[in-house]
Amino acid sequence: MQIRLDPNSELQLYKQLANQLIEFIAKGELKNGDTLPAVRAMATDLGINVSTVSKSYHELDEKGLIELKPKAKAVIIGGQKRELEETEVEKVENALKPIMAEAFARGFEKEQITSLFQRILKQWK
């Protein structure tokens, strides 16, 4: 698992870290039951503030992708095949809508968006 953070990006470091961890789960590089490094260890390895890593972990916990327990490592609970709840489907749909709307506003055609979506899908399981 190689994490690359760009301090010059418009995207905050905690969000970059959270997004990359989500991608590792989606690709199966982090599996259900795997543990993430301790917050301090991750911060040291990446050369970033402990609170940045903590914020990333808490975001993943709120999304239901990891489980945080006091004085314990963060455990991956996402990535498993299961029946999705309607609220989970709605969250993803609500997150995709503004991205797709922006694509159309920029002049993308439906076929281009479909092609792009298919190309991205190939990156994951």
Side-chain angles (χ1 to χ4, degrees):
M1 176 173 78
Q2 190 169 14
I3 297 171
R4 290 195 178 108
L5 302 178
D6 179 2
N8 298 318
S9 172
E10 291 181 14
L11 197 60
Q12 295 172 313
L13 290 175
Y14 88 92
K15 193 68 173 168
Q16 290 180 49
L17 176 57
N19 287 348
Q20 287 183 50
L21 291 172
I22 290 168
E23 285 191 31
F24 292 136
I25 295 168
K27 291 177 180 177
E29 293 176 33
L30 286 173
K31 295 175 178 41
N32 190 41
D34 288 350
T35 58
L36 293 175
V39 170
R40 286 192 189 285
M42 177 75 85
T44 300
D45 289 348
L46 297 175
I48 59 176
N49 194 296
V50 171
S51 63
T52 302
V53 175
S54 180
K55 192 170 182 177
S56 293
Y57 281 18
H58 279 91
E59 181 171 304
L60 296 176
D61 183 51
E62 289 172 14
K63 291 178 181 278
L65 298 174
I66 67 171
E67 184 175 36
L68 289 176
K69 293 181 180 177
K71 306 287 185 198
K73 290 190 175 185
V75 178
I76 304 296
I77 58 173
Q80 56 202 8
K81 301 290 183 201
R82 61 183 174 75
E83 186 74 28
L84 294 174
E85 296 177 20
E86 184 60 31
T87 56
E88 292 175 291
V89 175
E90 287 175 9
K91 281 183 182 180
V92 171
E93 182 179 340
N94 289 337
L96 282 172
K97 279 183 181 178
I99 294 167
M100 293 180 77
E102 181 179 341
F104 279 110
R106 290 177 178 268
F108 281 70
E109 298 292 330
K110 283 184 181 183
E111 296 77 23
Q112 290 173 301
I113 293 172
T114 302
S115 175
L116 179 61
F117 196 75
Q118 291 297 326
R119 187 172 74 207
I120 293 168
L121 277 175
K122 287 180 184 176
Q123 296 176 23
W124 297 297
K125 319 180 215 180

